[in-house]
Amino acid sequence: MTDRELDLGTKPLQDEVIPELTRPISFNGDLEQYFHSRPSEKNGRSPFAQDLAPAVRSATKRMFEEVHTRRVTRSSKSRYFSATSSVVSSPRKGRSSVSSPALRNNGNDGTRSSLPNNLRDSIPHNLILLLVGLNPGIMTGVTGWAYAHPSNLYWKLLHSSAITSIRHPPSDTYRLPELYSVGNTNIVSRPTKNGSQLSRREMDDGVPILEQKVREKKPEAVAIVGKSIWESIWRVRKGRAIRKQEFHYGWQDESENMGWINGRVGNEAEWKGARVFVTTTTSGLAAGMRPEEKEAVWKVLGSWVKERREQRKRVEEERGLTINEIAK
């Protein structure tokens, strides 16, 4: 990375990103491969992407500087390594690297990286489906759009499974509840480059928070987007790891419903909870299943969502209610 590339402004990241998140959309090249907006007539490039480009570079600059300000001089190597224990040996002879908390922190030391997170939950009451992801990636944290990295299969799978009628861009994240009665949240809010940078404790701590969200908003069903998320939920509920023969994709037993209320609690009536569907991860980095295998799992979920949406629509036409008011 050159000095010219790092010569960026110091304007706060949030001020650069949040006011622009609702602009019109399309798809462009170059840096706009990560963003979706209409090109300007003047130069054919998206003004929205031009607005966001400094924000992305600013986040990259902060990570770059954090790594390189931790370079160890020869005179202080011993003291630095004994204090941080951050040396990672490379299997290649004669090579080693220093683990940066900004890029490799797993949460065990109680510290957090400075990566931005502009993603918000989209969970109105009485959704048909609430999708639960692992945590925001760097691109998602910067833009505030769910599954924003172009390698992620999320938006493609939503369309191919008929959960959405078209393939939406990530910038439509907050339109899904209104259009399809589908919402989004994550089990961990901290952005990382990939899921391996999350600790088991960090994921387990997110389980009761997720249960409370479901209990309050009462979606009909919860889709767990990835095996590792369901493993955390199981571990917290059962006090042990899930066995290989106990795991399966698809609908889970009714006893595994999320957010259930046993008996009346305050003003809340008894509620049997939201059904749970465990589906595959959408990460482009996960190579454990072929694309067609992932699509097969998602299509089962999509078939149910489409049917429930049509049922609600019929009731809407009969009663004159909106799709999200029907379940009240």
Side-chain angles (χ1 to χ4, degrees):
M1 184 174 294
T2 66
D3 292 339
R4 179 179 180 85
E5 289 173 321
L6 292 177
D7 186 18
L8 306 172
T10 57
K11 185 178 179 182
L13 181 61
Q14 268 190 322
D15 293 343
E16 294 179 279
V17 177
I18 292 178
E20 302 290 342
L21 290 181
T22 57
R23 291 199 179 185
I25 56 171
S26 68
F27 192 83
N28 301 300
D30 197 45
L31 180 65
E32 288 92 324
Q33 63 183 302
Y34 302 115
F35 305 108
H36 306 261
S37 54
R38 292 197 179 108
S40 64
E41 295 180 359
K42 182 177 180 181
N43 58 14
R45 292 195 60 182
S46 163
F48 183 28
Q50 291 173 354
D51 291 342
L52 281 178
V56 177
R57 293 198 300 271
S58 180
T60 304
K61 176 187 177 183
R62 285 201 297 271
M63 289 189 296
F64 181 87
E65 290 179 339
E66 185 170 349
V67 173
H68 286 272
T69 54
R70 294 174 185 271
R71 283 180 174 173
V72 183
T73 63
R74 182 172 300 178
S75 61
S76 62
K77 270 187 180 179
S78 176
R79 182 173 66 257
Y80 179 85
F81 290 154
S82 63
T84 63
S85 301
S86 297
V87 181
V88 179
S89 299
S90 169
R92 296 185 181 182
K93 185 177 180 180
R95 296 183 62 184
S96 64
S97 61
V98 179
S99 175
S100 166
L103 299 178
R104 299 193 56 145
N105 173 47
N106 61 11
N108 290 326
D109 59 0
T111 63
R112 292 292 181 267
S113 66
S114 58
L115 297 176
N117 183 18
N118 297 306
L119 181 67
R120 309 187 308 273
D121 283 346
S122 51
I123 323 177
H125 285 279
N126 305 310
L127 291 167
I128 290 175
L129 181 67
L130 175 62
L131 291 148
V132 179
L134 183 57
N135 75 310
I138 294 175
M139 189 63 64
T140 290
V142 170
T143 62
W145 302 331
Y147 306 90
H149 198 281
S151 70
N152 198 288
L153 301 175
Y154 176 80
W155 297 97
K156 177 182 178 180
L157 287 167
L158 286 188
H159 179 217
S160 65
S161 65
I163 292 176
T164 62
S165 58
I166 64 172
R167 181 171 176 176
H168 287 270
S171 53
D172 280 351
T173 293
Y174 305 107
R175 298 182 63 204
L176 294 187
E178 176 187 358
L179 295 174
Y180 305 105
S181 194
V182 172
N184 274 290
T185 189
N186 288 300
I187 195 171
V188 177
S189 62
R190 182 173 69 90
T192 59
K193 183 178 180 182
N194 55 60
S196 66
Q197 294 176 317
L198 297 176
S199 68
R200 176 178 293 186
R201 178 179 177 181
E202 202 170 0
M203 293 175 64
D204 290 357
D205 286 347
V207 173
I209 298 172
L210 175 61
E211 292 270 15
Q212 185 60 32
K213 290 177 183 179
V214 175
R215 188 174 297 115
E216 290 178 358
K217 302 300 184 178
K218 294 181 173 60
E220 286 190 38
V222 172
I224 306 300
V225 186
K227 180 180 178 181
S228 63
I229 306 172
W230 184 239
E231 288 173 336
S232 283
I233 295 171
W234 185 283
R235 189 164 53 241
V236 171
R237 287 178 168 183
K238 314 287 186 182
R240 63 172 177 82
I242 189 171
R243 300 185 183 101
K244 184 176 181 180
Q245 63 270 24
E246 292 173 321
F247 175 81
H248 66 276
Y249 288 110
W251 293 109
Q252 306 299 306
D253 188 80
E254 188 175 337
S255 63
E256 302 296 344
N257 284 7
M258 296 202 70
W260 64 278
I261 301 172
N262 187 12
R264 179 173 289 275
V265 178
N267 295 325
E268 291 187 287
E270 183 172 351
W271 183 54
K272 66 179 182 179
R275 296 181 67 186
V276 175
F277 188 101
V278 178
T279 190
T280 69
T281 180
T282 61
S283 171
L285 299 175
M289 297 179 71
R290 298 192 302 273
E292 57 269 25
E293 293 175 323
K294 291 184 177 183
E295 285 199 3
V297 176
W298 277 85
K299 283 181 177 179
V300 175
L301 176 63
S303 177
W304 177 85
V305 172
K306 185 177 180 181
E307 181 181 352
R308 286 296 298 127
R309 194 158 52 227
E310 290 172 352
Q311 291 172 353
R312 283 197 180 190
K313 187 175 181 180
R314 286 195 295 269
V315 176
E316 176 187 356
E317 292 170 350
E318 293 173 1
R319 301 183 183 179
L321 300 175
T322 63
I323 193 169
N324 287 321
E325 291 175 332
I326 294 171
K328 293 183 179 180

